[in-house]
Amino acid sequence: MFLLNTSDIEVSTFLLIGIPGLEHAHIWISILICLMYLMAILGNCTILFVIRTEHSLQEPMFYFLSMLALSDLGLSFSSLPTMLRIFLFNNMGISVDACIAQEFFIHGFTDMESSVLLIMSFDRFVAIRNPLRYRSVLTSFRVLQIGLAFAIKSILLVLPLPFTLKRLRYCNKRLLSHSYCLHQDVMKLACSDNRVNFYYGLFVALCIMLDSGFVAMSYVFILKTVLCIASHGERLKALNTCVSHICAVLIFYVPIITLATMHRFAMHKSPLAMILIADAFLLVTPLMNPIVYCVKTRQIRVKVLEKLDLKSK
């Protein structure tokens, strides 16, 4: 009798996962997810439209905010297909190639957003340190150069990920642990040597954490500069210009660093906690950034209200 060795059978599709224990409520969860995606896309498109059409917002800070909105849109559109398929249509399957493509875009836009937050911290430092030279230091052309340089850096950083995943063999194990594909999740399904993936994935994660370290360092310099300002009122005014960015930094880095740490180092991690954190990262971050900047940035808030024909009082 011919015995089939199942360990040699390569899988062609992976299985994504929704929220364990709440499968019966997936249709209701899908409504919430659709609303969150709609609000995130509408909010970020509104930010881009207002900055593009208002001459008074043609400043470095708002150019960088446009880059942040583009990164958020990229994150939303990267995860949207699989999230809706799972929760709306209960379709868990995804081909290996589609999964690898999705993880490339998710990691690419994640690193891009991390880079933009780093640039924005530098922008705040320059604005507070040298307010009179702010526009001469960060000219429109220089802002464009910085944006393109960091975008290319993000692409080149994550470009090896799909190729290192593609060279692996996947057999027997098909179940992923999230509602979308992540590099660290996919590589664990491989039945061939994935050490290259582990170390390069760790390198990418460390690069993002390094960004967060530079952001923290920028705020040390900002705080040092603010403390040198004689007037208490001017100190508060200077710090108030950073509130929106600080909120965006916390919204982005707290879940991503938590998730990366749990994936690689946690011995007794909760699958449900990881799923909720991962879903919250891609749902909440693009949703909250436009809200934070509209609420805390007066220029954006006023122009958005004007576009909606609502005069602020």
Side-chain angles (χ1 to χ4, degrees), residues 13-237:
T13 59
F14 294 139
L15 295 177
L16 298 165
I17 193 170
I19 300 179
L22 293 177
E23 289 83 1
H24 61 283
H26 274 187
I27 187 65
W28 300 108
I29 296 173
S30 70
I31 297 174
L32 177 61
I33 289 174
C34 287
L35 288 174
M36 293 179 73
Y37 271 120
L38 183 62
M39 291 175 63
I41 293 169
L42 183 62
N44 285 291
C45 286
T46 301
I47 293 284
L48 290 172
F49 175 74
V50 169
I51 293 174
R52 177 68 179 83
T53 56
E54 290 295 332
H55 181 72
S56 62
L57 300 181
Q58 307 297 309
E59 297 182 5
M61 172 185 173
F62 299 110
Y63 291 144
F64 293 133
L65 180 55
S66 297
M67 297 178 195
L68 186 67
L70 286 172
S71 300
D72 282 334
L73 286 173
L75 280 176
S76 293
F77 285 120
S78 297
S79 60
L80 179 63
T82 52
M83 293 281 276
L84 290 186
R85 281 175 59 193
I86 291 170
F87 291 99
L88 193 57
F89 302 108
N90 201 34
N91 186 348
M92 308 294 183
I94 183 172
S95 69
V96 173
D97 289 339
C99 187
I100 291 174
Q102 185 184 48
E103 66 83 27
F104 168 75
F105 285 110
I106 288 177
H107 288 294
F109 283 113
T110 298
D111 184 77
M112 197 173 298
E113 180 145 347
S114 178
S115 298
V116 172
L117 290 172
L118 173 58
I119 300 169
M120 293 176 82
S121 67
F122 173 72
D123 167 77
R124 291 299 82 210
F125 173 69
V126 174
I128 294 172
R129 176 81 177 187
N130 295 302
L132 298 179
R133 295 187 57 208
Y134 175 58
R135 288 182 178 82
S136 62
V137 172
L138 290 173
T139 62
S140 298
F141 181 68
R142 194 164 291 166
V143 168
L144 179 62
Q145 286 181 314
I146 293 172
L148 285 175
F150 275 92
I152 293 171
K153 185 271 291 185
S154 297
I155 294 172
L156 293 179
L157 181 65
V158 302
L159 190 59
L161 294 180
F163 294 103
T164 58
L165 287 176
K166 188 67 177 173
R167 72 177 182 84
L168 298 176
R169 293 178 62 248
Y170 304 96
C171 36
N172 294 335
K173 293 190 292 183
R174 302 172 59 196
L175 185 63
L176 296 166
S177 55
H178 296 298
S179 304
Y180 49 86
C181 297
L182 294 175
H183 174 264
Q184 61 267 33
D185 202 15
V186 175
M187 73 174 187
K188 292 179 180 179
L189 300 184
C191 53
S192 54
D193 187 1
N194 64 0
R195 282 178 294 180
V196 172
N197 300 76
F198 176 82
Y199 289 118
Y200 191 76
L202 183 60
F203 171 72
V204 172
L206 289 175
C207 285
I208 294 177
M209 292 185 183
L210 190 63
D211 285 347
S212 67
F214 283 128
V215 170
M217 189 183 301
S218 297
Y219 273 99
V220 171
F221 289 122
I222 288 172
L223 188 60
K224 184 178 178 181
T225 303
V226 168
L227 291 176
C228 293
I229 300 174
S231 170
H232 179 70
E234 289 298 318
R235 289 181 189 176
L236 292 178
K237 185 178 178 181

